[in-house]
Amino acid sequence: MKTTRLQAVGLLLPLLLLIAEASANIFSNDAGITFNQHRRSYAHDLQKLKYGSADTFSFGRFQSPHAIDKAMSECRSAKSFKRHSSKDGKEGYYCSTRLGGDWVLAESKQVAKDCVPAEVLAAYLDGSNQKKWNEDKVLDINIARSGSGLYRQDMVLKPQRVLTGKTTIMRYTQKICVDKVGNGNYNAFVELDTKSKSNTKLRPFHILKVNVGLEQVGNDVHIYAAGIMKVNRKIVPNLLIFDASGIAGAMAGKGTLWLSKHFQDRSTKIRNNRIE
């Protein structure tokens, strides 16, 4: 019995649809992520961060990682970044810069292999991942969507040793706003919700604003996080001979470096499954 060309296309159509669906999952997977606003290209109107004026700085929206990096350059040089590699697999570069008074700039750079920005963002917005990779500091964390591209992050930190003793359990809430740029790049803006009733007075900072830029470069995602915080001096004291805010900034900078290891482990697992 002969099969007509039309019948052949009909037989192949389900297979073609499956291939198209699989390709979409690999190359344009949004991983269940919603965004608040979308812009076709990056903005180009970012002010530069200046020493002593951290309280007036704004990351704006839709800024490229390169633009934000450049905006920080008046307060530190590119050589200020230090390589970090720990036993648990965290790897990347971090930088901590004092901005005058109680203000600190914390930055980190890393690369997530063989993935797309939406997948990195989904991993970042998974509270179980953040708890797993920061077990020494995080007692509990819950992240829930509160709107289109809007998320609420409730943090509970374990008691921490400080120069003046030891803290109690600390709680605070952060608001996260996700924007999409172009076909698949994302910016996540994180800030302390100062009006949240769940915040304890004793917490690491009084003000926090962080921009996490996720940009596709080849098969990988380049991740650049820049955070400006006003530290709580009851937790991060400023002694006459030593200001602990620099250490606090370094700890914050290293806090997200688990993402590169997370996707390195995933790539290894996929390769091993293919071999088997």
Side-chain angles (χ1 to χ4, degrees):
M1 179 178 179
K2 292 184 179 180
T3 301
T4 66
R5 183 176 297 179
L6 184 60
Q7 287 173 324
V9 171
L11 291 171
L12 286 172
L13 187 57
L15 178 60
L16 292 172
L17 289 174
L18 285 173
I19 294 173
E21 183 179 356
S23 298
N25 287 335
I26 294 171
F27 297 108
S28 59
N29 185 6
D30 283 335
I33 294 299
T34 64
F35 53 86
N36 187 254
Q37 292 188 30
H38 176 251
R39 180 176 165 134
R40 292 183 179 179
S41 59
Y42 286 115
H44 300 283
D45 55 354
L46 185 62
Q47 62 176 318
K48 288 196 173 183
L49 176 65
K50 296 183 178 180
Y51 183 89
S53 300
D55 58 328
T56 62
F57 179 80
S58 172
F59 285 105
R61 301 182 78 164
F62 309 108
Q63 298 294 334
S64 70
H66 174 74
I68 294 178
D69 192 0
K70 188 176 180 180
M72 308 293 112
S73 62
E74 284 201 4
C75 296
R76 53 91 183 127
S77 70
K79 295 180 180 179
S80 299
F81 282 86
K82 299 177 182 178
R83 184 171 182 78
H84 175 73
S85 181
S86 59
K87 293 180 180 180
D88 61 2
K90 291 179 185 175
E91 189 171 340
Y93 294 85
Y94 74 96
C95 180
S96 176
T97 307
R98 289 190 286 270
L99 299 174
D102 299 335
W103 293 87
V104 180
L105 167 65
E107 299 169 271
S108 68
K109 295 180 179 181
Q110 58 187 309
V111 176
K113 297 287 186 179
D114 302 320
C115 58
V116 296
E119 292 174 315
V120 177
L121 192 55
Y124 176 77
L125 292 174
D126 186 335
S128 62
N129 285 333
Q130 295 203 31
K131 183 178 179 180
K132 169 188 172 182
W133 289 98
N134 294 283
E135 284 186 329
D136 58 328
K137 300 178 182 65
V138 176
L139 182 63
D140 193 22
I141 178 171
N142 181 61
I143 301 176
R145 197 170 77 183
S146 57
S148 181
L150 301 175
Y151 299 83
R152 172 190 171 97
Q153 182 181 46
D154 295 313
M155 298 281 291
V156 182
L157 300 185
K158 295 178 179 179
Q160 301 292 313
R161 291 193 177 277
V162 294
L163 295 179
T164 55
K166 192 174 184 179
T167 71
T168 59
I169 290 176
M170 296 178 283
R171 304 173 186 269
Y172 58 90
T173 298
Q174 296 178 152
K175 298 182 292 183
I176 304 174
C177 179
V178 175
D179 287 330
K180 187 175 183 178
V181 185
N183 291 329
N185 295 328
Y186 288 90
N187 279 353
F189 180 70
V190 185
E191 64 178 335
L192 178 70
D193 184 357
T194 56
K195 296 181 180 180
S196 175
K197 295 181 180 180
S198 65
N199 294 343
T200 56
K201 290 184 178 179
L202 202 62
R203 57 180 185 268
F205 34 74
H206 296 298
I207 298 174
L208 173 72
K209 43 190 176 181
V210 182
N211 189 88
V212 182
L214 307 171
E215 188 172 33
Q216 191 79 51
V217 180
N219 294 328
D220 307 328
V221 176
H222 287 209
I223 308 165
Y224 170 48
I228 296 173
M229 67 188 81
K230 184 178 182 182
V231 298
N232 183 347
R233 288 300 182 183
K234 291 182 179 180
I235 306 297
V236 188
N238 185 4
L239 306 178
L240 291 176
I241 58 173
F242 180 71
D243 186 352
S245 63
I247 294 178
M251 291 174 63
K254 298 173 186 176
T256 61
L257 291 180
W258 58 268
L259 284 163
S260 60
K261 175 61 175 173
H262 176 85
F263 284 94
Q264 179 185 336
D265 289 347
R266 191 187 77 159
S267 294
T268 301
K269 185 177 180 180
I270 291 173
R271 284 196 299 269
N272 290 339
N273 288 338
R274 287 174 180 171
I275 294 172
E276 292 175 359

